Amino acid sequence: MTFPLASQDKQVIALDANFSTTRLVTREKPVIVNDPLSKVQSVLFLPPNPERKREGGLRTKGYFKRSYDEASALSDNSPLPLVTIITVVFNGEKYLQQTIQSVINQTYDNVEYIVIDGGSTDSTVDIIRKYEDRIDYWVSEPDGGLYPAINKGITLCMGRLVGIIHAGDNYTSQAITEAVEAYLKETSAGILIGNCKCLFQDNSNWCIRVGNLGPLPYKTLPHPSTFVALQIYKEWGTFEASLFKIASDYEFFCRCFDKSVKFIHINKPIAIMAQPGISSNYYMTAKEELMVRLRYLPKLLAIITFLHSCLTITGHKVLEYLGLWYLIEAKRHGSIR
């Protein structure tokens, strides 16, 4: 699904046909009109920050992106919705370059790329600068951690669909094409989730996490293979960063499910989760997943599904007892009645 550029719009420019993020740009600066009731207020650039180390990218050079509908003069008049990808990183020099390459080498032609660095002290910023002519906007500054950084990235999105891929995770080359094709068939979909190939630490063994909705909120879903309509963030909010350090994406899925957002399953592996992050801390993961289940499920059902999840993740009963301990502690502190 590639679309050769053939436009009569003089504002449309192909900077470099080799990369998904530079095949289709415009000098026309977007006019942003935010609904004051929206839970996300969109911006082209982040406000000044005295702690900011650096920022850059195509936007800072006057190049922007937008979606194209069937009325455009592009290609065969097929719609080309803009897809924004966000990568959040901190001291990720070991894995970041591969992640960036998996985004800019997509087959889809209309990709916007946002990189949010938390003020890295290694060579992460050097890697970002190496690719900054293929990145729409990037910033390096201290932030409050993973989810505050993602939320900051969401405010910068101009795309109709938003994907989040962390440093160390990668897309298959057709990932965005698959997501867009599924979206165009079902434009009422709010969340599209593909399958995710999960590699273990030695990268020699792997498993597939299926992205079908299943019995949410009983199960978790793979976040690297997820694409969310920007309108869903605006309507139902972003990631809850104050309470969750690991499971905020799970809480977000459950929140959307609770609000009857339409989920679509793409039954193909479209992302690769190559390196375990903070979610490999099963102790903290167990605690936060229990908190989410207690929010969206009846108490007894939350307990049962939580214990089953613990056993499924580890294959060992240690987390079953850990779960019981959390239940006792939650009750003692008044979280459970």
Side-chain angles (χ1 to χ4, degrees), residues 5-12 66 71-75 77:
L5 185 63
S7 175
Q8 298 173 355
D9 186 346
K10 302 301 183 183
Q11 295 286 344
V12 178
R66 60 184 171 93
S72 74
L74 296 172
S75 184
N77 288 336

Side-chain angles (χ1 to χ4, degrees), residues 12-23:
V12 178
I13 304 165
L15 290 177
D16 190 332
N18 292 314
F19 304 105
S20 63
T21 53
T22 54
R23 294 185 196 126

Side-chain angles (χ1 to χ4, degrees), residues 83-86 150 161-166 169-171 175-176 178-180 190-197 209-213 216 220-230 232-233 239 249-250 252-254 256 261-266 268-273:
V83 179
T84 303
I85 305 301
I86 301 169
I150 293 174
L161 290 179
V162 179
I164 299 168
I165 192 89
H166 300 323
D169 300 337
N170 304 291
Y171 287 128
I176 298 178
E178 297 284 359
V180 170
I191 298 178
L192 303 104
I193 303 182
N195 299 339
C196 184
K197 184 175 181 179
R209 286 187 65 188
V210 179
N212 64 315
L213 181 61
L216 254 182
T220 59
L221 295 170
H223 66 82
S225 52
T226 299
F227 292 83
V228 178
L230 180 60
I232 296 301
Y233 288 123
F239 297 98
D249 51 338
Y250 176 46
F252 173 77
F253 291 144
C254 292
C256 291
V261 172
K262 188 169 187 176
F263 287 69
I264 295 294
H265 175 217
I266 303 168
K268 297 177 182 178
I270 62 173
I272 303 167
M273 188 185 297

